[in-house]
Amino acid sequence: MSRAGHARPVPTRSLLVRDIQILATLDPELGDIRNAAIYVQGNVIKWVGASCDIPKTYATADETISLPDRVLIPGLVNTHHHMFQSLTRCLAQDEKLFNWLATCYGPWQHMTGADIYISSKLAMLELIMSGCTCSSDHLYIYPNDVCLEDSIRAARELGMRFHPTRGAMSMGKSKGGAAPDSTCEEEDYILKDMKRLIDEFHDVSRFSMLRMGLAPCAPFNVTQDLMKAAAKIARQHQGVRLHTHLAENEEDIEYCRETFNCRPGEYIKRVGWDKDDVWFAHCCCLNDAETKQWAEAGVGIAHCPSSNMRLKSGIAPVRKLLDNGVKVGIGVDGTASNDAGHMLMEVRQAMLLQRVAGNGMPAREALKVGTQGGAKVLGRDDIGRIAPGMAADFVAWRTDGISFSGAQHDLVAALLFCTPGLGPVDLSVINGDIIVKDGQMLTCNVKEVITEHTKHSIALCSHMKEQ
């Protein structure tokens, strides 16, 4: 078998999901529908409406699922992750970004392809069970035999819609960077591998399950030449997007000033990353001019509230960004700086953190950022809402438990206001495939994944004091 596994076949059967207590389509024309139904043919939504109005054409299907006592929404879209970090949670618990990284490099430099596979699988499980149906991943460290195919195999096995990025670090300690040399690569090899992965895996078609991105890690561990070269490669291929970390905290801004004699806005102009095929993680420390620049350029942002709080990075000005027309999605970030990958909780944190900053963010707006916002950031118009012609990606939670008791008047908002007490999704459909049913994962043995992941984590964390 190929190291990347095999692409899942596109489903051909029909699926009718009906009797849904409340369906939040997040579509401006369809809105919320009570006692709702969705008809799916293959991997595409064909009809949406009230169960009592199902046309005869869609009254029967190869499989019918009844969902009373459920709230159903479009699948959430995760725009920033480092899935390998699920192996190293709770390290450097009180440090800011750079000291946290210095601690984590010790274990990370010992990772193997097997570590990447099992960490990606567990990270995707966590995402799927918390409502995510599409995720990016930023794998920027390639020691030993690590390759991107290890995470692609995990996504294919589980059925996750996946946007992997070929990340990279090229400036190790011997070249003035902070990372161990063993975690860095030569730039000629990085660029060659970027081209190879695009040729082998990138699928730009509508409803694609795998689209590639290129993602030099950050201005402080790659050269400007690599940033420019990656952009050139990406723009030779339709739908290949560019991603990196930027303006994460004040130390990041200071590094940019000291090293490049400019702020992030000028830096991205120099390297040609001020285009609408780019999205940046974090951007906690943008000034007003950069906010305007991002909007005019069409640049996207992955907002990672939990990681930003954990690493004392600050609060991204999401309200201002949205009001200025900047594309914003939600990212759980790596599970070593979050230290969870709970996608619905991350949307909740985004909603609450803007309120801490003195700004408003209603629950439904937060849900739109976590779905349609993420889709736009990743360059997709086929996911993020439930409507005819859209990909069949949707998730549902039971509403008959403790957390929803007292919130029956607005079950959609309750998904975010009452998140901490919610269980995993009751249903997850991705690309028309039923991935979770009755709260049970259908595409893997969860206990076996956890057991194997724990073994790898213990072994890796035994190197914790190394740098």
Side-chain angles (χ1 to χ4, degrees):
M1 183 179 74
S2 165
R3 186 162 176 176
H6 300 290
R8 297 174 70 86
V10 177
T12 57
R13 64 175 192 162
S14 57
L15 170 66
L16 175 61
V17 182
R18 58 172 301 154
D19 309 318
I20 305 163
Q21 183 179 4
I22 182 70
L23 163 61
T25 68
L26 302 188
D27 181 89
E29 295 183 4
L30 294 173
D32 294 353
I33 305 172
R34 293 191 175 277
N35 191 23
I38 304 170
Y39 187 91
V40 175
Q41 181 62 58
N43 61 348
V44 183
I45 296 171
K46 292 295 185 180
W47 183 87
V48 180
S51 295
C52 60
D53 294 331
I54 299 173
K56 290 183 179 180
T57 307
Y58 302 131
T60 60
D62 294 322
E63 182 168 358
T64 299
I65 299 176
S66 179
L67 291 182
D69 300 319
R70 312 294 199 285
V71 56
L72 190 147
I73 65 171
L76 300 171
V77 180
N78 179 38
T79 58
H80 186 63
H81 209 327
H82 308 294
M83 294 183 179
F84 71 88
Q85 293 182 12
S86 67
L87 292 165
T88 55
R89 306 188 205 230
C90 299
L91 301 186
Q93 295 172 15
D94 301 308
E95 300 294 345
K96 291 185 178 181
L97 174 63
F98 291 138
N99 285 340
W100 169 82
L101 280 170
T103 300
C104 292
Y105 284 138
W108 292 349
Q109 65 185 321
H110 293 278
M111 288 192 304
T112 65
D115 291 318
I116 299 301
Y117 167 71
I118 195 63
S119 60
S120 299
K121 199 162 190 176
L122 185 121
M124 291 179 199
L125 269 174
E126 191 171 10
L127 288 170
I128 290 171
M129 297 306 286
S130 60
C132 182
T133 57
C134 175
S135 182
S136 65
D137 185 42
H138 188 183
L139 178 56
Y140 58 80
I141 184 168
Y142 292 83
N144 306 308
D145 67 336
V146 168
C147 68
L148 197 63
E149 283 88 337
D150 300 312
S151 60
I152 291 173
R153 183 166 88 257
R156 286 174 162 176
E157 289 177 359
L158 292 180
M160 171 69 84
R161 197 179 297 277
F162 197 33
H163 283 238
T165 63
R166 206 309 181 175
M169 296 191 295
S170 61
M171 289 172 50
K173 288 185 177 180
S174 65
K175 296 181 180 179
D181 287 345
S182 61
T183 65
C184 298
E185 303 168 281
E186 295 298 322
E187 293 190 354
D188 286 346
Y189 176 78
I190 292 168
L191 296 170
K192 181 180 178 181
D193 200 44
M194 286 177 171
K195 294 176 184 177
R196 177 188 70 82
L197 290 163
I198 292 170
D199 290 341
E200 289 189 24
F201 297 110
H202 183 60
D203 176 9
V204 75
S205 67
R206 189 167 177 81
F207 312 125
S208 166
M209 289 293 284
L210 199 158
R211 291 187 184 171
M212 282 295 307
L214 304 182
C217 184
F220 54 79
N221 53 33
V222 299
T223 67
Q224 292 184 65
D225 287 342
L226 182 62
M227 296 290 285
K228 294 175 184 177
K232 183 177 180 179
I233 292 171
R235 288 166 185 154
Q236 293 170 348
H237 301 84
Q238 182 184 357
V240 175
R241 300 180 81 76
L242 295 162
H243 183 50
T244 193
H245 301 87
L246 198 71
E248 186 166 353
N249 64 11
E250 288 297 339
E251 292 175 331
D252 202 0
I253 299 295
E254 190 59 30
Y255 178 90
C256 197
R257 284 179 174 144
E258 291 181 357
T259 307
F260 308 116
N261 195 31
C262 67
R263 282 188 56 88
E266 177 60 29
Y267 173 84
I268 68 168
K269 285 183 183 179
R270 293 180 186 177
V271 297
W273 280 53
D274 55 340
K275 309 293 181 185
D276 64 2
D277 57 356
V278 173
W279 88 102
F280 299 119
H282 307 303
C283 293
C284 295
C285 301
L286 300 181
N287 61 25
D288 289 344
E290 287 162 340
T291 297
K292 183 178 179 182
Q293 177 188 357
W294 265 231
E296 291 176 347
V299 167
I301 290 177
H303 174 43
C304 307
S306 292
S307 176
N308 296 157
M309 289 187 285
R310 204 270 213 196
L311 295 178
K312 312 171 194 176
S313 298
I315 303 175
V318 172
R319 178 75 274 153
K320 182 185 294 184
L321 292 164
L322 291 170
D323 290 347
N324 279 272
V326 178
K327 295 178 292 189
V328 180
I330 303 297
V332 299
D333 203 359
T335 28
S337 69
N338 183 309
D339 291 28
H342 195 295
M343 189 63 201
L344 187 66
M345 186 68 78
E346 206 63 29
V347 179
R348 180 180 196 263
Q349 294 282 49
M351 177 185 75
L352 296 179
L353 197 55
Q354 288 309 296
R355 297 178 181 212
V356 170
N359 304 312
M361 178 172 279
R364 277 173 174 75
E365 183 180 27
L367 285 172
K368 287 182 179 178
V369 172
T371 52
Q372 296 168 22
K376 290 177 182 177
V377 165
L378 296 182
R380 302 197 71 129
D381 63 0
D382 54 355
I383 60 174
R385 57 190 175 92
I386 297 173
M390 299 295 286
D393 289 10
F394 47 84
V395 292
W397 283 264
R398 297 194 66 94
T399 61
D400 53 359
I402 291 174
S403 292
F404 282 109
S405 185
Q408 292 290 316
H409 53 279
D410 194 347
L411 294 170
V412 178
L415 279 171
L416 297 189
F417 283 104
C418 309
T419 312
L422 299 185
V425 292
D426 183 70
L427 176 75
S428 176
V429 174
I430 306 177
N431 203 44
D433 271 333
I434 301 171
I435 305 300
V436 178
K437 187 177 182 181
D438 297 327
Q440 300 299 310
M441 192 78 187
L442 302 184
T443 53
C444 75
N445 184 310
V446 175
K447 288 185 178 180
E448 289 181 0
V449 173
I450 293 172
T451 298
E452 187 67 17
H453 182 272
T454 299
K455 291 179 182 177
H456 282 257
S457 175
I458 291 171
L460 201 63
C461 288
S462 68
H463 302 285
M464 191 166 58
K465 295 183 180 180
E466 299 179 22
Q467 292 185 27

